[in-house]
Amino acid sequence: MTNITVFASHGGSDMQAIIDGCKRGAINGKVVAVISNNADSYALVRAANEGIDRYHVAQSKYPDEASMVNAIMEILESHNTDMVFLAGYLKKIDPSIIRKYKDNIYNIHPALLPKYGGKGMHGIHVHTAVIENGEKETGITIHRVTEEYDSGAIIAQAKVPVLDGDTPEVLAARVLEREHTFLVEVLGEITNR
């Protein structure tokens, strides 16, 4: 069984999909910890509701970045983390963590990378750009995390249509709905290898 630590900054609905997938056996794993950089993140509430250890880790709580990185590393190690999954986490992961968990840190991105990736391309910004550029399809990418934003090896992608009249918010909701099922499918394949 794979011990998964999820990093999330806001609502945590993708994280909830992972938790639910683990509980019903679609993912051969267990979410052992949740880390958020946002004290008001609903992901932390979801973790509490599920009885999962949760941590607010933000730069404001530590004297320097090295101390914060050490705190994250201690959480990962104390929970015997096998996989780190970034589910809407809006902070860059320190290179030392990426090296320690090489090939076992994954991110979900709400577009078909390499399009609409990189610094600042997250959430509604992605969907706005997709619509403004007249794309007929968008989607979801699950990829390995490297030191450069959204540049790691692509593990899987799912396409989602862009419909006439879509607003960024309507498109975001359609993509998010597919994210929840796609995440479980892909993590199921990864954890059952």
Side-chain angles (χ1 to χ4, degrees):
M1 182 177 286
T2 304
N3 287 339
I4 305 167
T5 294
V6 177
F7 287 50
S9 292
H10 293 293
S13 66
D14 280 342
M15 178 194 79
Q16 188 68 55
I18 295 170
I19 292 167
D20 293 345
C22 291
K23 287 200 297 196
R24 68 174 184 271
I27 298 170
N28 182 21
K30 178 181 181 186
V31 176
V32 293
V34 173
I35 296 173
S36 182
N37 60 307
N38 176 4
D40 298 322
S41 165
Y42 195 67
L44 294 175
V45 174
R46 290 179 190 271
N49 291 342
E50 296 287 347
I52 297 169
D53 290 344
R54 63 209 182 281
Y55 304 89
H56 171 227
V57 182
Q59 189 61 67
S60 60
K61 296 175 71 174
Y62 298 91
D64 52 44
E65 186 157 347
S67 301
M68 184 182 75
V69 170
N70 286 340
I72 292 171
M73 202 73 91
E74 284 176 18
I75 293 166
L76 295 173
E77 290 172 357
S78 69
H79 287 84
N80 297 312
T81 300
D82 301 308
M83 175 193 292
V84 173
F85 199 93
L86 310 184
Y89 188 68
L90 301 181
K91 299 290 283 182
K92 196 158 189 184
I93 301 296
D94 188 81
S96 64
I97 297 171
I98 292 170
R99 284 192 296 272
K100 167 108 175 148
Y101 291 92
K102 182 173 169 29
D103 295 335
N104 291 303
I105 304 182
Y106 298 88
N107 182 49
I108 187 162
H109 185 77
L112 298 172
L113 292 174
K115 285 185 169 183
Y116 307 107
K119 187 171 174 60
M121 273 296 173
H122 56 83
I124 206 73
H125 305 293
V126 172
H127 307 299
T128 300
V130 165
I131 290 170
E132 286 177 352
N133 286 310
E135 300 285 359
K136 296 300 179 199
E137 66 180 12
T138 185
I140 302 133
T141 302
I142 294 176
H143 66 93
R144 286 198 168 97
V145 173
T146 61
E147 293 181 33
E148 190 177 326
Y149 283 114
D150 300 327
S151 65
I154 293 172
I155 303 303
Q157 292 183 309
K159 293 180 179 176
V160 175
V162 179
L163 305 178
D164 290 344
D166 271 350
T167 64
E169 293 77 14
V170 168
L171 182 58
R174 186 179 313 116
V175 170
L176 186 62
E177 184 178 352
R178 180 64 180 115
E179 279 183 30
H180 296 161
T181 57
F182 187 56
L183 257 174
V184 175
E185 293 164 15
V186 173
L187 288 182
E189 289 174 16
I190 292 170
T191 58
N192 282 301
R193 285 183 188 150

